[in-house]
Amino acid sequence: MTLSISFLLPLLSSLFIISTDALTSPSDVSALKAFKASVKPNSIPQWSCLASWDFTASDPCATPRRTHFTCGITCSSDSTRVTQLTLDPVGYTGRLTPLISGLTQLLTLDLADNNFYGSIPSSISSLVSLQTLTLRSNSFSGSLPESVTRLNSAESIDISRNSLTGSLPKSLSSLSNLRQLDLSYNKLTGSIPKLPQSLIDLALKANSLSGPISKESFTESTQLEVVELAENSFTGTLGAWFFNLQSIQQVDLANNSITGIEVIPPPKKLSGESDLVAVELGFNRIAGNAPASFAAYPRLTSLSLRYNMLHGTIPAEYERSKTLRRLFLDGNYLTGKAPARFVKPETEVMGSLGNNCLRGCPGKAKMCAPSQKPFSICKQAYGGKPKS
């Protein structure tokens, strides 16, 4: 029996449905066209996501995506709005067009590890649904626009490893849903403004931020767990309040110009509850004695005060700590006898007590490397003979 062609055609068409109707919102299509047009053609490899964006051959949200718009965007369930723009890291070069603001339902904008340059357009504040903004490892310059602080849905902002300058927006605290902020490896200056209450992870490493670290900046950040402020130019004394922030777990302030620290045991309401596990304060200008109160933090496992200007003996509390597993005190002017627990061959603590003025710190002990300072330097540091 022979089937008629007229009978087979509907069946075949149902098996190979390819949508040719325009589905995507015209404003989204216009924004995507402008976005691609702002990228230099010679930086778009033939096999890349952007190369597959052919607006004359297919609608961006049409399915299936076998040859066009194969990657780079994700659309809503009804295929009418673009919800994610996530580029592949192939070295696209160009500016971020202000017309990106047309993608008003965008949840994720990720251009990481490319060569986008120029300023971040202030119109980015129109992305009212944006939850994740990732511009890491590009060449964006200029200041961080104040309009970024109007991204009220943003939970994560990562613009690290660019060339941003100027100060942080004063209205940063208005980002009421922000949990992660990473602006490390830029050229930002000034002080830290008041931080969002919802913030959990703050990374401002390797900028040119300066001045004392103010309690007012952190006063409402009750959920803050990780603070990375290393390689800046912070000065002054770091108050005891800093180590007693309600949720703090990890602190990195290495390579600054901090001259003093105040450390007190955790308040009774925190005692036994403090989650502070790691403190990095190496390569500053901290003078005075090594704070014994660090040993009172019940979960502290890592402490570094290396290459500062500490004098006096190593607190006995450090040796008695049951949690401390990593201790770096090298490069100071500590004197007295090295604690036996740290110099015995089977010590469970790693780190260094080297380059101090200690007695009883044999070169064969792992924690005693490098060797102690010459006696003449120690004598000069103490204005005479080092105290026992």
Side-chain angles (χ1 to χ4, degrees), residues 27-28 81-82 100-106 126-130:
S27 62
D28 284 15
R81 302 304 303 269
V82 176
I100 193 76
S101 59
L103 300 173
T104 55
Q105 292 299 308
L106 203 63
S126 296
L127 304 179
V128 293
S129 300
L130 197 68

Side-chain angles (χ1 to χ4, degrees), residues 21-350:
D21 297 328
L23 301 173
T24 312
S25 164
S27 62
D28 284 15
V29 175
S30 296
L32 291 176
K33 286 181 177 179
F35 178 83
K36 183 176 180 180
S38 69
V39 178
K40 294 182 178 181
N42 61 3
S43 71
I44 303 178
Q46 292 182 351
W47 41 265
S48 66
C49 288
L50 274 185
S52 74
W53 290 18
D54 188 343
F55 296 93
T56 62
S58 176
D59 181 85
C61 289
T63 56
R65 299 178 184 171
R66 295 196 179 100
T67 56
H68 306 295
F69 296 95
T70 55
C71 57
I73 63 169
T74 302
C75 296
S76 57
S77 58
D78 62 0
S79 299
T80 61
R81 302 304 303 269
V82 176
T83 57
Q84 294 187 39
L85 200 170
T86 304
L87 287 189
D88 40 344
V90 298
Y92 297 120
T93 302
R95 294 180 179 272
L96 178 58
T97 173
L99 298 179
I100 193 76
S101 59
L103 300 173
T104 55
Q105 292 299 308
L106 203 63
L107 301 176
T108 300
L109 176 59
D110 186 346
L111 310 180
D113 300 295
N114 282 290
N115 291 318
F116 285 93
Y117 61 89
S119 59
I120 298 170
S122 59
S123 62
I124 201 168
S125 61
S126 296
L127 304 179
V128 293
S129 300
L130 197 68
Q131 297 175 0
T132 302
L133 174 62
T134 306
L135 305 178
R136 179 185 64 249
S137 297
N138 278 281
S139 298
F140 287 107
S141 57
S143 61
L144 184 65
E146 192 83 24
S147 61
V148 167
T149 65
R150 295 198 291 274
L151 295 172
N152 295 325
S153 299
E155 297 177 3
S156 174
I157 295 177
D158 184 351
I159 317 180
S160 60
R161 299 183 184 276
N162 280 277
S163 298
L164 297 179
T165 56
S167 57
L168 293 167
K170 292 182 179 179
S171 55
L172 200 61
S173 62
S174 64
L175 290 165
S176 56
N177 290 299
L178 193 66
R179 298 167 67 84
Q180 295 177 313
L181 176 63
D182 192 346
L183 299 174
S184 301
Y185 296 96
N186 278 285
K187 301 174 183 178
L188 298 169
T189 55
S191 57
I192 301 174
K194 192 174 183 180
L195 297 170
Q197 185 176 3
S198 55
L199 198 62
I200 293 175
D201 192 334
L202 173 67
L204 298 174
K205 182 178 181 179
N207 279 283
S208 297
L209 300 169
S210 59
I213 295 174
S214 169
K215 183 177 181 179
E216 285 68 32
S217 302
F218 293 81
T219 188
E220 293 186 2
S221 301
T222 56
Q223 301 180 56
L224 196 59
E225 296 177 358
V226 180
V227 178
E228 296 183 62
L229 303 177
E231 298 177 51
N232 279 285
S233 299
F234 291 113
T235 57
T237 297
L238 190 59
W241 61 267
F242 187 81
F243 303 104
N244 290 329
L245 288 169
Q246 187 171 325
S247 302
I248 198 72
Q249 295 180 16
Q250 299 177 49
V251 173
D252 186 356
L253 274 160
N255 293 91
N256 278 282
S257 297
I258 295 169
T259 53
I261 50 174
E262 296 173 355
V263 184
I264 59 174
K268 290 184 179 179
K269 65 178 180 179
L270 289 178
S271 186
E273 299 175 8
S274 173
D275 292 324
L276 187 65
V277 296
V279 174
E280 172 58 81
L281 289 166
F283 299 94
N284 277 280
R285 300 177 183 177
I286 300 170
N289 297 322
S293 294
F294 271 131
Y297 288 82
R299 294 184 176 88
L300 189 69
T301 60
S302 177
L303 175 63
S304 174
L305 292 164
R306 64 194 319 194
Y307 291 90
N308 278 285
M309 301 172 67
L310 298 175
H311 286 61
T313 59
I314 297 174
E317 290 85 348
Y318 290 3
E319 186 177 16
R320 293 196 295 265
S321 171
K322 295 179 180 180
T323 60
L324 206 56
R325 292 293 180 269
R326 185 177 180 274
L327 179 65
F328 284 90
L329 299 175
D330 48 317
N332 285 285
Y333 298 90
L334 298 171
T335 188
K337 190 173 182 181
R341 176 191 172 192
F342 300 144
V343 299
K344 63 183 182 181
E346 67 276 15
T347 183
E348 77 285 12
V349 180
M350 67 165 290

Side-chain angles (χ1 to χ4, degrees), residues 12-29:
L12 290 171
S13 62
S14 67
L15 292 174
F16 299 98
I17 294 175
I18 298 179
S19 175
T20 57
D21 297 328
L23 301 173
T24 312
S25 164
S27 62
D28 284 15
V29 175

